[in-house]
Amino acid sequence: MAVHEIDTEDSGQFYRDLSREDSLTVTIKGAIYVEQQLDAILKGLSYDPVAFEKIDLTYLQRVQLAVAFGLPKRFLAPLKALGEIRNKFAHVIRDEISGPDMDAFYNTFDPDEKSLIQNTYAKIHKRKIDGKKRPKRLDRLDPIERFQLYVTTLRSALVVANREITSGGQTGTPR
């Protein structure tokens, strides 16, 4: 299986796209970047990536196929939740990401990712970016900023999973 490099060229653009304040743009683009990581994993696990690209699968089917091929089950719930958040913007007129959406999204992560999210936020909450002071507690953060943190964590975890799965590491073992 070939290891597909997926995290170097687009990382700068990823962070620029997610740093916007428009919920629609951040949600759709964040979901696209995560979906690209998912597709890279599937292509890396495919005997013929070109043939795989010709298969017309829904997002949820690709998520389930990736888990069936070795992506740890802990990714299933957050990937499904991200698809649901994206679909809300695609099918319901709304302007903002909601706090309850972000509470539900956060709750889909496994304890290791939750800990990573909390630790990352603990390190950055005191920093003033664009003159903004952030609340001490993550759940008090603006929903769009929570989304940015959650999507960044999910994407980064998929990058690591892709490397481990396609190189024969232990991440591919079911959990």
Side-chain angles (χ1 to χ4, degrees), residues 83-118:
E84 291 167 5
I85 292 166
R86 181 203 55 211
N87 287 344
K88 285 183 181 181
F89 273 95
H91 301 292
V92 178
I93 296 174
R94 59 192 293 191
D95 295 326
E96 298 295 326
I97 296 171
S98 74
D101 285 340
M102 291 306 94
D103 293 341
F105 191 20
Y106 177 80
N107 288 329
T108 65
F109 286 93
D110 86 330
D112 289 337
E113 269 84 29
K114 284 180 181 176
S115 178
L116 178 62
I117 290 168
Q118 291 291 340

Side-chain angles (χ1 to χ4, degrees), residues 25-162:
T25 301
V26 170
T27 302
I28 299 301
K29 288 196 174 193
I32 289 169
Y33 281 103
V34 167
E35 198 167 345
Q36 287 175 341
Q37 302 306 320
L38 183 64
D39 287 345
I41 289 169
L42 288 168
K43 288 176 191 173
L45 292 169
S46 299
Y47 178 76
D48 185 348
V50 174
F52 171 76
E53 287 178 3
K54 295 178 182 179
I55 302 171
D56 186 24
L57 298 171
T58 67
Y59 171 77
L60 184 55
Q61 288 170 332
R62 289 195 318 271
V63 168
Q64 292 169 332
L65 188 60
V67 171
F69 284 167
L71 183 67
K73 290 180 183 178
R74 66 187 166 89
F75 285 99
L76 186 59
L79 287 168
K80 286 173 73 174
L82 178 60
E84 291 167 5
I85 292 166
R86 181 203 55 211
N87 287 344
K88 285 183 181 181
F89 273 95
H91 301 292
V92 178
I93 296 174
R94 59 192 293 191
D95 295 326
E96 298 295 326
I97 296 171
S98 74
D101 285 340
M102 291 306 94
D103 293 341
F105 191 20
Y106 177 80
N107 288 329
T108 65
F109 286 93
D110 86 330
D112 289 337
E113 269 84 29
K114 284 180 181 176
S115 178
L116 178 62
I117 290 168
Q118 291 291 340
N119 290 335
T120 300
Y121 186 67
K123 290 177 184 175
I124 65 172
H125 92 273
K126 293 182 181 179
R127 293 183 190 169
K128 287 187 181 180
I129 300 171
D130 298 330
K132 261 175 124 171
K133 184 176 180 184
R134 288 175 174 50
K136 187 172 183 173
R137 289 184 36 182
L138 176 62
D139 62 349
R140 304 263 192 244
L141 191 64
D142 287 339
I144 191 168
E145 291 177 304
R146 289 172 62 194
F147 180 82
Q148 292 162 334
L149 181 57
Y150 302 162
V151 166
T152 299
T153 302
L154 181 57
R155 179 178 180 266
S156 297
L158 287 170
V159 168
V160 171
N162 181 45

